[in-house]
Amino acid sequence: MARAHAAADAAADSGKTRYHHGDLKNALQAAASALIAQRGAEAVSLREISQAAGVSHAAAYRHYADKQALLADLAEAGFRELIAINRRTVAATAGGPAAQLQACGRAYVRFGVRQPQLLQLMFGAAITDWQAHPSLAGASAALADTLSDVVKAGQASGALREGDVGDLTLTAWSLVHGLALLMAGRRIPQAAVDAAFVRRASQRCVALLIDGLGRR
Amino acid sequence: MARAHAAADAAADSGKTRYHHGDLKNALQAAASALIAQRGAEAVSLREISQAAGVSHAAAYRHYADKQALLADLAEAGFRELIAINRRTVAATAGGPAAQLQACGRAYVRFGVRQPQLLQLMFGAAITDWQAHPSLAGASAALADTLSDVVKAGQASGALREGDVGDLTLTAWSLVHGLALLMAGRRIPQAAVDAAFVRRASQRCVALLIDGLGRR
DNA sequence: ACCTGAACACCGTTCAAGT
DNA sequence: ACCTGAACACCGTTCAAGT
């Protein structure tokens, strides 16, 4: 943000388009992010991202090894955003760990529904070789850790049952992840996926997870 | 199958490559299915699918309107396969509806882990316009119905709690769907995703869903 | 009726050359 | 140090022409 602002100032100072962009990496990220949000990562070409950023089609290669590297950068930012949302949600939610788990689940689903193409980029098959992007893998693992922390806090408080943290975390993560993807991808037959439905469905699903589907 | 066999016989009868393939549509499906299983739908071109099927790069357009139509056909076959697996699993599982739910969940995850690229094709963003492929949307809805039937049977038997069938189904579907995608995409940090882990994790996650994450 | 080959407008990537 | 323009090998799609 700060760098982008500085670059804009510099452009205003010079009063004309410069041969050197000055902050092309951020401009590419912004252009790619906007285009992908509209049409999805598969449907956007590096050439039109470059064009949207105001440079030639080859300029991106000064900042990214290839298209995959740009996509990995955006996906990583998505993971970091989702982690930050989770942390903020935990901090902002009163009512104890059970309420926090509820709120985090809902925030996860909301993130996915608001940015479905980003969610697909993060968890889909567009990035073919995760081993080539270790910091992306790191961000993904950090998200798993954040979720695990919420579950641990729930167990420590007595709101959640005892048992292997990994198992509980995987179960909770799978539920909200599946729900987010089904909603983001419009795979749920019955309903219009508006804000009210997202709130209601994520609330009910997480409540069912905590209480259990089995007979009482 | 019958048509493919007949075509093979015809080829054997003639003893040479014919100008008219005879069963090109099935050959394209088979070639595409194999290539996509290896490298994913995004990474496979229509030209190499045609080449693998032994025809020119334009021949596919006699049988499919475009690449999207071929992908939609394969995704639809995937949905029908998953529906059939579900039905067979229900029929083959003794021990009542709770055991059936367990078995179906595990079968869903197994399907995803065995054919991760197909699962991505079915639920990812590769097919951009579902409205253009109504029979694909129909197959997807039929899968949801099949899952709903299992939940209904569970409620009728008393194994599952009362409540809105849609809510229970969405919860159970989200869990197994999220688990399948996290495993198929290798997004679970800790573990090697082998057959034993799939069995163990899907068993434990579904058990936790039925019993509930909350304190007993 | 079904398939081929040339053609078109694209795409990712490379690289010498410009500023 | 950073960006451009031409070039290369590809790709999806179309269409006249072949069988």
Side-chain angles (χ1 to χ4, degrees), chain A:
Chain A
M1 284 297 187
R3 284 183 61 204
H5 193 126
D9 284 352
D13 287 350
S14 75
K16 54 173 178 149
T17 303
R18 287 154 307 126
Y19 187 88
H20 289 75
H21 184 285
D23 195 16
L24 182 52
K25 188 161 186 177
N26 277 307
L28 288 168
Q29 287 172 339
S33 183
L35 285 167
I36 288 172
Q38 288 171 40
R39 306 206 303 275
E42 324 290 348
V44 176
S45 74
L46 201 48
R47 289 172 101 112
E48 69 185 317
I49 292 169
S50 299
Q51 193 179 21
V55 292
S56 83
H57 64 265
Y61 290 89
R62 190 63 36 184
H63 300 278
Y64 291 104
D66 50 27
K67 189 185 180 184
Q68 287 281 305
L70 173 53
L71 295 183
D73 201 14
L74 295 177
E76 184 179 335
F79 279 109
R80 303 210 180 283
E81 186 186 344
L82 191 48
I83 290 168
I85 287 173
N86 242 286
R87 295 227 171 100
R88 277 202 304 272
T89 302
V90 169
T93 303
Q100 284 175 351
L101 196 72
Q102 270 278 2
C104 285
R106 185 176 145 198
Y108 194 106
V109 175
R110 224 154 86 114
F111 173 86
V113 171
R114 288 189 171 185
Q115 307 189 72
Q117 305 286 12
L118 178 56
L119 192 73
Q120 278 295 343
L121 176 60
M122 291 160 64
F123 290 100
I127 296 166
T128 50
D129 180 16
W130 276 57
Q131 308 229 35
H133 306 284
S135 73
L136 171 60
S140 173
L143 173 62
D145 289 344
T146 304
L147 300 176
S148 176
D149 289 344
V150 177
V151 170
K152 271 183 207 156
Q155 287 184 312
S157 78
L160 298 188
R161 60 153 63 202
E162 300 296 314
D164 185 291
V165 186
D167 286 341
L168 292 196
T169 302
L170 184 56
T171 304
W173 188 14
S174 293
L175 176 77
V176 295
H177 186 64
L179 187 57
L181 280 165
L182 290 174
M183 284 191 160
R186 306 282 147 125
R187 294 298 199 282
I188 296 165
Q190 65 263 24
V193 181
D194 55 13
F197 179 70
V198 169
R199 184 170 52 240
R200 180 194 157 285
S202 55
Q203 195 275 326
R204 292 199 187 185
C205 287
V206 176
L208 280 168
L209 174 67
I210 292 174
D211 287 348
L213 288 189
R215 186 177 42 191
R216 296 290 82 191

Side-chain angles (χ1 to χ4, degrees), chain B residues 70-97:
Chain B
L70 173 53
L71 295 183
D73 201 14
L74 296 176
E76 184 179 336
F79 279 109
R80 302 210 181 284
E81 186 185 344
L82 190 48
I83 290 167
I85 287 173
N86 243 286
R87 294 226 172 99
R88 277 201 305 272
T89 302
V90 168
T93 303

